[in-house]
Amino acid sequence: MDLLSGIGRAAGDIGSRLLDLALPATCAGCEREGAGLCRDCLPALDGRLLCPPGTPIGLPGDVPSPLVQVEWCASFNGVTRRALHRLKYAGDRRLAVPLGRAVGRRWARAGVGGQVLVPVPASPDRVRDRGYDQAALIAQAASAVCGLPVRPLLERSRATTAQFDLDREARTGNVANAFRLRHPRSEIGPPGARPAPGDARPMLDGVWVVLVDDVLTTGSTLAACARVLLDDGALAVSAVTVARER
Ligand SMILES: [Zn+2]
């Protein structure tokens, strides 16, 4: 009996340790045990919640063309940076919920126009490695707060180098033509729109898209996505991210 219960206990310990490895039960901001982000660290995600829309911090008036508006929740540092890092590189997908809710709050407060949320797709290799696409999860959580539906319209058309390895000019070249429409006839509304077979244009015609991504750096990735959507008939493209890097 002792042997069996000993084995049972050991198996339970191993099981819970594996669970701990899979989902670190600590706050990404302060390492305190408990939620993915504790109550003390959560407010860091709303660093700009009370800023009026379009208020530039640091670099004035630098909305990357052809986007009409770019919004973000907080600077890319401290708690926000650690939470994004854990979501992207440590497999803790739980963090997409608080990060996405912050995106939804910021967009509900500062967004002008916009009818659908379109996540910026990660590369298929990274999605395979992580088991999820972090921008898609962020968009889903944001949708529940701001009320706009999520439409995963874009995909990568070729592999790109990780943007953080490149300077500003190289980043633009790296992502040029890196995106395309995922399903030319995806249902994106408005309701009742019926495209001709193979024609994306009627589906995107008159639709104001809001791109969703994790971090905004130079904006070259967002601009590359916006060009695809505008070429296929979108009325306008805005963007909202968790963080902005300076
Ligand atoms: Zn904390």
Side-chain angles (χ1 to χ4, degrees):
M1 184 190 105
D2 285 340
L3 180 63
L4 282 178
S5 64
I7 289 169
R9 236 187 347 262
D13 286 346
I14 291 166
S16 66
R17 254 179 273 153
L18 285 174
L19 265 180
D20 287 346
L21 280 175
L23 290 175
T26 59
C27 169
C30 66
E31 299 293 337
R32 195 184 304 168
E33 278 190 35
L37 272 173
C38 74
R39 268 182 299 177
D40 292 337
C41 291
L42 213 44
L45 301 184
D46 289 323
R48 299 187 66 244
L49 189 59
L50 298 179
C51 296
T55 299
I57 292 180
L59 300 171
D62 56 346
V63 177
S65 171
L67 293 144
V68 293
Q69 184 184 11
V70 172
E71 275 298 335
W72 64 101
C73 304
S75 295
F76 187 53
N77 56 33
V79 169
T80 306
R81 185 187 181 113
R82 289 195 289 277
L84 279 166
H85 196 273
R86 197 185 266 189
L87 172 66
K88 288 175 78 170
Y89 304 115
D92 194 348
R93 61 185 294 162
R94 294 177 306 171
L95 288 165
V97 173
L99 294 172
R101 284 182 183 154
V103 165
R105 285 193 293 275
R106 181 61 191 155
W107 189 255
R109 183 173 181 89
V112 178
Q115 292 156 289
V116 294
L117 301 179
V118 175
V120 172
S123 79
D125 285 353
R126 273 169 231 147
V127 173
R128 201 162 42 240
D129 290 347
R130 276 177 212 144
Y132 54 86
D133 182 326
Q134 74 277 358
L137 296 181
I138 289 168
Q140 278 163 18
S143 170
V145 174
C146 72
L148 299 183
V150 180
R151 296 291 182 263
L153 293 178
L154 295 169
E155 67 180 6
R156 298 256 174 182
S157 48
R158 60 175 177 78
T160 55
T161 309
Q163 290 285 76
F164 56 74
D165 285 339
L166 304 169
D167 64 22
R168 192 181 188 99
E169 198 175 330
R171 283 174 186 230
T172 302
N174 185 42
V175 292
N177 306 313
F179 300 94
R180 66 185 172 205
L181 282 190
R182 186 169 155 211
H183 302 298
R185 282 174 285 139
S186 301
E187 282 290 338
I188 65 161
R194 294 223 170 267
D199 188 356
R201 211 164 279 267
M203 298 309 296
L204 271 168
D205 258 357
V207 174
W208 190 332
V209 171
V210 183
L211 290 166
V212 177
D213 206 0
D214 45 24
V215 183
L216 166 63
T217 305
T218 64
S220 51
T221 299
L222 294 173
C225 291
R227 272 181 221 110
V228 172
L229 295 163
L230 291 168
D231 284 351
D232 282 289
L235 173 71
V237 181
S238 304
V240 58
T241 66
V242 176
R244 177 159 202 172
E245 191 173 15
R246 293 296 181 195

